[in-house]
Amino acid sequence: MGEFGIMFGSPILLNTNMRRYLILTFMAVMVALGMSAEKYNEMTYTKRSTTFTLVAEKAQAVQLNIYAEGTGGKAIKTVAMQKGAKGTWKAVVKGDLKGRFYTFNVKQGGKMLGETPGLFAKAVGVNGKRGAVIDMAATNPEGWDNDKALGYAPQDIIVYESHNRDFSVSRKDARYPGKFMALTEPWAIEHLKSLGVTAIHLLPSFDYASVDEEHLERAQFNWGYDPLNYNVPEGSYATDPFKPEVRVNEFKQMVKALHDAGIAVILDVVYNHTMDIDHSNFQLTNPGAFYRKNAEGKYNDGSGCGNETASEHPLMRQYMIESFNYWAKEYHLDGFRVDLMGIHDIETMNLIRQSLPKNVIIYGEGWSAGTCAYPAEKLAMKANTYQMPGIAAFCDDMRDAIRGPFSDDRESAFLAGKAGHQESIKAGIVGCIEHPQVDYSKVNYSKKPWAAEPTQMMAYVSCHDDMCLVDRLKTSMPGIKTDELIRLDLLAQTAVFTSQGVPFMLSGEEMLRDKKGVHNSYNSPDSINQLPWDNMKKYPQVFAYYQGLIALRKAHPAFRLGNAELVRKHVEFLPVEEGLVAFRLKDNAGGDAWKDIVVVLNANKYAAFVDVPEDTYTSVVAGGKVNLEGLRTTTTSRLEVPAQSALIVHN
Ligand code: CA
């Protein structure tokens, strides 16, 4: 309160009642704006003064340094911050600080811990070493006030997982190859619109450590799973990483261009670990508070990246809630993909869910990369997804049943016609909810349903992790010819796009990308990671099929019922031999114009026959082709499904 008192108390002299009235009014406005709970608002700029705040609970002193540059040089001003309530330190610096940079330095245990831009910098200098004083309102592009999250229902989301550099770096006509701005370009927007996806999921696009932003002329590549500043866009994707406002503005331009095209924007967020522990902004402000320790008192490593954050700690929990909300509000994001979500606790994930607007989509990896220093039953693991309404988890059951296990790239599964994978694929078709015809004792990893609603399951066969689909097929089926590879690729994605879960695809699959067999391409050169845009001309049938499946899903609510009861009522599996999965979406499911839809996935190397009630059926997917108007109409009680392909018919 001290500060408001000073601001309001001078230069005009106010009596106590007026001051109290103004303070209460101000607080009411803060509450109305949803700002009351903010703990980590570290920098508030006005032309007259800038207010700095830092949570440093056990600090003996905190020094604020002001710099003219984002890197190098000496501090032009140093201020001793004042200790306030609840471990919060404050300083008000008079004058117009716009364009200046700052760091905090916490003294604890008798020593200075080292300079940090703070926990929650919203803008930084190059390489994220110093916070930047900018006027956030001035970063808004034209028309931003009218932009907002698209608010799609989860069953209407079709996710395209993309990396900012992969997507555009090899595109010859790109004006901004490898940058956020590439996604504002007509060719990019046209590609995504033509494919039909309704959401783009961007691999880490917050400020990460592993690409040197000062030397972008050097060949560098990283996925970005090494967080530095959680609340600032990454500098290497900006046209100028030295100017703090540029990346903020360009990220917003990207979001707006995508929103204008009807494409939601989902950010991959990585709160489960930091780049390193000793020099992280968490450790430089509140040593120990943000990380889990094991029974021996050592920092635990459930992330496989050297450390593991502690979402159950009040400081970390509050941090995550504020950070998610900051991105949703400031950047109008439509959703979040939570890296190693199984490291976070269920309660925190539910609090995050409740704090965000209803249709902001949240999904994550329901696993960790090592054993966590926290009880497994309290973690946001896949098996516990049903305890987190409105949060989805990736379905590795379906993924691995289709392509083969994550543990061995050389092993194949359903796509190779192998037996024993039907139940796992059926589980994936219903969204891993309880269903009378799915025997979970035969599902490969989960022995019971783990989702309460079908939209709590992400359906996919490939993502940035592990081999992409082409490489996986080549590795698990040695000697496979291109024709067969394409047939199986299309068959695999038919399972994904007809699932009652939320369909998800890796960018470039629609142009038959490969990564030259590289299993983990997190820092591989562009030659491995870039999209093969030339393939658009080489394999037009692949793009056309993906496009057709997506259009089919969008045109027919039967494929996206979005509700467990409806799925149990309308999705009926048909008895078939090994190497096949067949189901009916019956009785105008979800109000569909089509009475019954039959989907058959045939991975066998020979044509299969499936018995259906005798009627006149029109095929819309057959032999690697899609046509919503109908490919062929026949009256029959027996459907013939060509080898290694999907058939979809309706009556
Ligand atoms: Ca960076």
Side-chain angles (χ1 to χ4, degrees), residues 321-398:
I321 293 170
E322 284 189 33
S323 188
F324 274 85
N325 277 275
Y326 174 69
W327 280 103
K329 273 187 195 150
E330 183 68 31
Y331 291 94
H332 305 176
L333 291 188
D334 301 86
F336 299 91
R337 176 268 189 195
V338 185
D339 188 61
L340 298 182
M341 186 168 72
I343 288 180
H344 305 312
D345 67 300
I346 292 170
E347 192 181 341
T348 298
M349 288 312 303
N350 281 334
L351 287 168
I352 290 167
R353 170 71 281 172
Q354 289 152 21
S355 74
L356 288 164
K358 185 171 165 277
N359 277 352
V360 167
I361 188 169
I362 302 176
Y363 55 89
E365 294 181 302
W367 48 75
S368 60
T371 306
C372 294
Y374 202 67
E377 70 275 11
K378 290 184 178 177
L379 291 172
M381 293 288 183
K382 185 183 71 174
N384 300 329
T385 304
Y386 68 95
Q387 296 179 49
M388 298 182 282
I391 296 178
F394 283 100
C395 182
D396 54 345
D397 311 273
M398 179 195 208

Side-chain angles (χ1 to χ4, degrees), residues 440-560:
Y440 278 88
S441 72
K442 293 177 184 159
V443 171
N444 52 8
Y445 305 129
S446 306
K447 297 304 170 194
K448 55 182 183 180
W450 48 263
E453 294 294 344
T455 48
Q456 287 185 284
M457 191 205 88
M458 302 304 292
Y460 75 125
V461 69
S462 64
C463 69
H464 69 278
D465 271 323
D466 304 349
M467 286 187 174
C468 58
L469 193 48
V470 167
D471 286 341
R472 180 73 193 211
L473 282 164
K474 285 182 177 170
T475 307
S476 63
M477 299 174 73
I480 190 171
K481 298 278 192 299
T482 304
D483 283 0
E484 186 180 17
L485 188 147
I486 291 174
R487 283 200 298 276
L488 294 176
D489 180 291
L490 305 186
L491 176 63
Q493 300 287 13
T494 313
V496 171
F497 287 113
T498 60
S499 164
Q500 296 292 336
V502 178
F504 170 106
M505 64 171 286
L506 170 66
S507 72
E509 298 287 24
E510 77 279 20
M511 55 188 89
L512 217 62
R513 90 183 290 182
D514 71 84
K515 293 191 200 169
K516 300 184 169 66
V518 176
H519 173 90
N520 182 358
S521 68
Y522 80 100
N523 66 353
S524 298
D526 289 340
S527 58
I528 302 294
N529 281 304
Q530 68 196 8
L531 295 201
W533 286 97
D534 291 343
N535 280 7
M536 288 292 289
K537 280 193 188 118
K538 210 167 159 190
Y539 306 111
Q541 73 274 36
V542 175
F543 184 83
Y545 190 87
Y546 279 57
Q547 185 184 43
L549 277 183
I550 291 168
L552 176 67
R553 184 180 179 92
K554 284 162 88 172
H556 288 277
F559 293 106
R560 42 188 172 84

Side-chain angles (χ1 to χ4, degrees), residues 126-128 206-213 228 233-236 247:
V126 70
N127 282 328
F206 51 80
D207 183 27
Y208 61 79
S210 53
V211 168
D212 183 353
E213 299 172 6
L228 201 57
E234 161 62 13
S236 65
R247 58 178 87 182

